[in-house]
Amino acid sequence: IRREVGMLFQHFNLFPHLTVLENCTLAPIWVRKIAKVEAEATAMKMLERVKIPEQALKFPGQLSGGQQQRVAIARAIVGAPKVLFADEPCASLDPSAGEDVMELFFRLVRDENVTVVFTSHNVEHALKYGDRVLGLAQGRIQLDATAASLSSADLRGLYD
């Protein structure tokens, strides 16, 4: 099951002693037994998708928080997961970069049939990019509806 799932954590969990490229190729090489050359080519394509291929040979400590988040996204999708879980994927990004990430997720859903499950405090992202919205309050589901049937006010009411 883990081979079919990508995980994107709020904290990037990048290995500081490995380059961006090495962070993205570690699992394909060691878990999936993909040849290093092939894994690197795929990782570079994913780094291009998140718009940071020029950072491939840098270490995480040399990158901004937003760039590190993009590396974490590339690492999560390098294995072509069927399901991608993302915990606050835009939390550390500026609004423009956050929209880029959500558009990438949208393309994964539309073009590659990836199921993306993401948590967000951003009501607009939930409504714009979500199909189904679950609203949680005090550890319980308080709302379960299609995004198309909701407004921003419906979701903000959960936090009052």
Side-chain angles (χ1 to χ4, degrees):
I1 292 173
R2 287 186 295 188
R3 289 178 182 226
E4 307 294 327
V5 174
M7 299 284 293
L8 179 61
F9 301 95
Q10 196 168 27
H11 299 285
F12 324 116
N13 297 327
L14 300 174
F15 292 107
H17 64 290
L18 299 178
T19 65
V20 166
L21 188 60
E22 290 167 334
N23 266 282
C24 292
T25 59
L26 190 66
I29 291 170
W30 288 96
V31 176
R32 292 181 178 245
K33 307 298 185 202
I34 294 173
K36 182 178 180 181
V37 173
E38 182 183 343
E40 287 178 347
T42 302
M44 286 305 297
K45 288 179 189 172
M46 295 308 111
L47 291 170
E48 287 171 17
R49 289 187 79 177
V50 297
K51 302 180 180 178
I52 56 164
E54 71 283 354
Q55 307 299 334
L57 299 179
K58 291 186 178 177
F59 291 91
Q62 297 173 297
L63 306 176
S64 70
Q67 290 170 324
Q68 289 182 44
Q69 182 71 329
R70 289 170 183 262
V71 172
I73 292 166
R75 181 185 58 190
I77 63 175
V78 76
K82 292 182 180 177
V83 179
L84 176 63
F85 291 101
D87 179 21
E88 290 280 349
C90 303
S92 64
L93 303 177
D94 63 67
S96 175
E99 282 298 316
D100 288 346
V101 167
M102 294 309 295
E103 286 293 328
L104 172 63
F105 288 165
F106 181 76
R107 288 191 306 276
L108 287 171
V109 170
R110 182 191 65 209
D111 301 339
E112 298 176 34
N113 202 31
V114 175
T115 298
V116 177
V117 178
F118 69 94
T119 61
S120 182
H121 286 93
N122 186 318
V123 173
E124 287 71 31
H125 282 170
L127 294 176
K128 183 176 179 182
Y129 297 104
D131 291 322
R132 181 174 171 196
V133 177
L134 297 176
L136 302 174
Q138 300 172 343
R140 299 194 184 274
I141 296 173
Q142 303 294 324
L143 174 72
D144 181 355
T146 63
S149 70
L150 297 172
S151 69
S152 294
D154 295 324
L155 294 176
R156 285 196 184 100
L158 288 173
Y159 304 106
D160 293 341

